[in-house]
Amino acid sequence: MMRERHFADYVTLTAVVVVLALAPLALGDSAHYMRLATLMLIYMGYAVAFNIIFGHTRQLFLCLGALAGSSGYVSVVLTIKLGLSPWLTIPLGVASAALLGGVFSYVSVRRGLGVIFVGIVTLVFSLIFHNLVLGLRELTNGETGIETKGLGPAVLQNASASYYAVLGVVAASLVMYHLLMRSRAGKAFQAIADDELAAELAGIDVTFYKVLAATIGSALLGVVGAVYAYYSGFISPTVYSLVSVDIVVLVTLLLGGMSTLLGPVLGGAVFAVLDEVVRPLGRLNVLVYGILMIVLVVTFRHGLVAMLRKVVRIRIP
Amino acid sequence: MIAILLDGIVQGLQLSLMAVGITLIFGLGGVLNLAHGQFAVVGGIAAALFVGEGLHPLAACVLGVLTAGLFGLIVDRTLLVPAYRCAGEERLLLGLLITLGLSFAVNGFLDFRYADIALTLRLPTPSYEIGGITVRSASVIAALIALGAFALLFAFLKGTLLGKVIRSIIQNEVGAGLCGINPARIRTLIVVLSAMLAGLGGIAQGLFSSVGTEMGNELTSFALIVAVVGGVRSINGTLAAGVLLGIVNAFASYLVGAYMTLLILLATAAFTILLRPQGLFAYRT
C-alpha cells in the first residue's frame, strides 16, 4: 500500500517535471509566452509553500507577498548597498523570511490564536511591510522600485535559462514536499489538520510541527521571492502586494486542491491560462478574480485534484 | 493642542462608526467582514450618483445609506449563506475568504464602472470660531452624525427587546437558539444595520475629503484595526478604541508624520492581538 502510494507520487513528480520542461518547445520563441510561463512557475512555487503552511497545518498566512518581498528586498538591497554577491544575499533573504514566518507561527501557536486571528496578524504584517518599503526610501526607492537588471546570478538573465532555473526550484520544492509528507512530520501535519486537540493528546508536539511547517513554507516563499526579484529585473512594493501575490496564490491553491502534491501545479497552470483569457478585460480582471474566489470557496473547495480523483478513480497525490 | 485633540476625537468617532459594523457582524454572525470598507464606498458612490441626478444632497445621502443597507441585505442573503451553514472555525474561514473575494469583486467593479465618480460634500459655512479655536463645521457635523448613530445604536441594544435578543446571541448563539430565538433573521438585520452604519461612515468621510472607489481597502483596514484593538466582540470597546486611536492618529500625524503614524497604528493592532486577543477594552456589552 505504502509503496503503491509513493509510486503514484514518483510518477506524478516525473510527469510534472517532464511536461513543464517540454512546455517551452511548444511555446516556441515567443518572449511574451516565455515570460508568462516563468511567472506561472513562480506562482506554483508560492502555492507549494502556501500549501504546506495553510493546507497542512491550517495557519492562514495572509502575508505571502510580504514574506517573499522581505526576502527579495533584503537580498537586493544588500547586494546593491554592500556590493555582496547575490549567492550570499539570497540565503540571507531566505533566512529572514523563514525567521519571520517561524516567529509568527510560534507566537500565534503559543498565544492560542484561532485561524482568523492568525489571518488578521499576518494581514497587518502585510500592511506594515508595504508601508515600510514605501517609507524607507533611501534603501528601497519607495514606490518607484529598484532596477535589478544585471545584478542577479547570470542564470536569471536569459529567458529560457531562467525558465529552467525556476523550474528547478519548483521541482526541488515538490520533491521536498513529497519527502516531507512521507516523513514523520507529514503524519503529524495530517493529524493536526484533522483535529488539533486530538493530535496534541496523541502526543504530537503541535507547536513544533506548526512552526516547522511555517518555517519551511516561509523559506520557500523567500527562495521564490528572491528568484523573482532577480528574474523580473525590477521590484516594487506592488509586485509583492496582497493583491498580486496572496490573492492569486489563494485562488491557485483553491483551484488546484489543497493538501495535495499536484494541486499547486495544476492550479498554477489553469490560473495562468485564465489570467491570459481575462487580460483583455483590463481593470475588470480584479472583479473576475474576486468572483472566481467566491465561487471557488463556495462550490469548489476541494479543487481540481479532488474532482479528477472522482472522475478517473485513480490515486492522484 | 486642543484643536488637534478635537480633530482626533472626530476622526476616532468616524473610525468607530466603521468598526462597530465589523464588531457586530463578527459577534453575531461569526463572519469577519473584510469587505466592510467596500460597503462604505458603495454608500458613498451611491450618494454621489444620486447627487449627480440632481437630488438634494441630504436626500442623496439618505438614499446612499439605504443603498449600502440594501447591498448588505443582498450579500447576507446570498453570498454569506454557505458560510452560515457551517459552524465554528469553518464558518470563520469561509466567511473571511468570501468577504475577501467580495472586496475584490466590488473594488474591481467600482473601479471599472465608476472610476471618476467621487463624493464630496461641501458645507455652506466651512468653519467658525468658538473660544479662539477654529472649528470646521464638517467636523461638528461628522461628530454629531457619529454620536447620533451611536446613541441610537446603544438605545436600540440596551432599551428594546430586540436589542436584548441581539446581545443574547452575541453572548451565546446556541443558548439563544434554545430560548426560541431565530438567529438567522437577527443576523440579517444586523448585517443590514452594519452596512448602513458603514455607508453612513463613508458618506461622513465625504465631508472631509472625497470618497472615491479606491478608498475601500484603506477604510477596511482602519476599521479592522479599530475593531481588533477594541475587541472584536465588544461594542463599547470598539467605540473607545476608535476614539483612542483617532486621538493617537491626530497627535502622531502632527508630531512624527503620517507615515510613522500608520506604522504605529498597525503595530498597535498587531500587539493587541498577540497580547490581549479579546481586545484592550474587552468587557461584555
Side-chain angles (χ1 to χ4, degrees):
Chain A
M1 190 68 188
M2 281 312 280
R3 182 169 297 159
E4 190 188 324
R5 174 144 160 208
H6 288 160
F7 179 69
D9 273 24
Y10 299 143
V11 172
T12 314
L13 278 173
T14 321
V16 164
V17 173
V18 168
V19 169
L20 288 177
L22 293 178
L25 299 181
L27 293 176
D29 286 336
S30 160
H32 175 65
Y33 282 111
M34 209 53 202
R35 185 169 174 84
L36 286 183
T38 314
L39 282 179
M40 174 187 83
L41 287 178
I42 282 170
Y43 279 99
M44 283 177 186
Y46 286 147
V48 173
F50 188 51
N51 193 16
I52 298 173
I53 302 175
F54 181 59
H56 285 282
T57 58
R58 293 270 171 260
Q59 305 182 78
L60 181 59
F61 271 33
L62 291 178
C63 58
L64 310 175
L67 287 173
S70 61
S71 164
Y73 266 100
V74 164
S75 172
V76 168
V77 169
L78 284 179
T79 306
I80 291 179
K81 297 286 167 188
L82 300 181
L84 298 172
S85 146
W87 292 108
L88 188 66
T89 61
I90 290 178
L92 287 175
V94 172
S96 64
L99 188 70
L100 279 171
V103 167
F104 286 145
S105 171
Y106 181 75
V107 173
S108 39
V109 178
R110 280 278 127 180
R111 299 295 308 174
L113 297 185
V115 66
I116 199 110
F117 285 101
V118 178
I120 301 176
V121 172
T122 49
L123 189 66
V124 167
F125 172 69
S126 281
L127 297 174
I128 291 179
F129 171 77
H130 193 81
N131 284 296
L132 269 181
V133 173
L134 283 182
L136 297 172
R137 254 163 219 296
E138 315 83 72
L139 291 178
T140 62
N141 241 345
E143 192 103 45
T144 356
I146 308 177
E147 284 270 342
T148 57
K149 273 210 175 67
L151 273 181
V155 178
L156 293 173
Q157 308 302 330
N158 167 307
S160 64
S162 42
Y163 177 87
Y164 286 104
V166 180
L167 177 58
V169 171
V170 171
S173 70
L174 286 172
V175 170
M176 185 200 70
Y177 175 87
H178 164 77
L179 292 176
L180 191 65
M181 287 311 141
R182 66 189 269 190
S183 72
R184 201 181 166 75
K187 301 282 175 293
F189 291 161
Q190 201 170 4
I192 291 172
D194 286 346
D195 188 335
E196 207 173 306
L197 186 63
E200 182 93 66
L201 292 176
I204 293 170
D205 188 347
V206 172
T207 311
F208 172 77
Y209 284 111
K210 278 189 139 178
V211 174
L212 180 74
T215 312
I216 293 177
S218 307
L220 183 53
L221 285 170
V223 173
V224 180
V227 167
Y228 176 80
Y230 291 111
Y231 161 70
S232 75
F234 168 75
I235 52 172
S236 73
T238 320
V239 301
Y240 293 119
S241 70
L242 199 71
V243 186
S244 19
V245 180
D246 295 68
I247 301 305
V248 176
V249 172
L250 251 173
V251 170
T252 298
L253 194 59
L254 286 169
L255 195 63
M258 237 185 282
S259 328
T260 59
L261 178 78
L262 194 59
V265 178
L266 214 53
V270 174
F271 186 85
V273 174
L274 216 64
D275 197 38
E276 197 49 24
V277 172
V278 300
R279 190 175 301 274
L281 295 177
R283 281 200 286 188
L284 212 54
N285 64 358
V286 182
L287 173 69
V288 175
Y289 292 153
I291 293 175
L292 185 66
M293 187 164 156
I294 297 174
V295 170
L296 283 176
V297 169
V298 172
T299 62
F300 201 65
R301 233 177 317 156
H302 303 291
L304 282 170
V305 171
M307 195 183 78
L308 278 180
R309 277 179 190 160
K310 253 188 210 151
V311 173
V312 296
R313 291 171 179 285
I314 55 165
R315 189 187 288 280
I316 300 172
Chain B
M1 273 315 194
I2 297 176
I4 300 174
L5 185 67
L6 283 179
D7 221 33
I9 293 174
V10 173
Q11 273 178 24
L13 286 170
Q14 295 283 290
L15 291 175
S16 308
L17 205 55
M18 299 282 313
V20 78
I22 291 191
T23 306
L24 280 171
I25 297 180
F26 184 76
L28 227 114
V31 166
L32 187 76
N33 184 11
L34 287 184
H36 208 69
Q38 276 70 19
F39 284 6
V41 172
V42 166
I45 296 289
L49 287 175
F50 285 123
V51 170
E53 294 286 316
L55 254 72
H56 185 271
L58 198 62
C61 291
V62 172
L63 284 176
V65 171
L66 290 178
T67 311
L70 183 68
F71 182 55
L73 178 70
I74 295 170
V75 169
D76 180 74
R77 297 314 305 161
T78 55
L79 289 181
L80 291 179
V81 170
Y84 292 146
R85 265 194 224 120
C86 311
E89 280 274 91
E90 189 79 350
R91 185 198 284 182
L92 281 171
L93 193 61
L94 208 57
L96 184 101
L97 294 176
I98 290 175
T99 51
L100 191 63
L102 175 67
S103 76
F104 283 101
V106 172
N107 270 352
F109 176 71
L110 290 180
D111 249 0
F112 173 73
R113 185 80 174 69
Y114 301 113
D116 43 359
I117 288 183
L119 175 71
T120 324
L121 297 168
R122 285 202 190 77
L123 297 165
T125 47
S127 62
Y128 45 89
E129 253 178 61
I130 312 174
I133 304 165
T134 319
V135 181
R136 283 194 291 171
S137 43
S139 302
V140 176
I141 293 180
L144 286 179
I145 289 176
L147 285 175
F150 271 108
L152 282 177
L153 185 67
F154 277 112
F156 171 60
L157 288 177
K158 301 275 179 190
T160 63
L161 184 63
L162 197 55
K164 208 176 235 173
V165 166
I166 289 171
R167 283 185 291 140
S168 78
I169 299 180
I170 293 181
Q171 280 167 14
N172 189 336
E173 189 175 328
V174 178
L178 291 175
C179 294
I181 295 166
N182 178 358
R185 290 178 57 182
I186 308 289
R187 211 156 46 203
T188 308
L189 175 74
I190 280 301
V191 173
V192 172
L193 195 66
S194 305
M196 283 167 66
L197 284 172
L200 193 63
I203 288 170
Q205 197 72 42
L207 288 165
F208 299 98
S209 54
S210 64
V211 180
T213 53
E214 74 293 337
M215 282 188 72
N217 286 340
E218 190 188 324
L219 289 174
T220 306
S221 22
F222 272 115
L224 196 63
I225 291 171
V226 170
V228 161
V229 172
V232 272
R233 278 180 187 280
S234 151
I235 297 164
N236 308 355
T238 306
L239 179 57
V243 173
L244 181 74
L245 290 183
I247 294 172
V248 170
N249 185 19
F251 274 102
S253 316
Y254 177 67
L255 297 173
V256 292
Y259 160 65
M260 281 303 289
T261 308
L262 193 54
L263 287 184
I264 291 174
L265 292 183
L266 289 169
T268 314
F271 280 110
T272 309
I273 297 176
L274 296 178
L275 302 177
R276 255 181 90 83
Q278 70 274 45
L280 282 186
F281 311 98
Y283 44 89
R284 291 285 182 192
T285 37

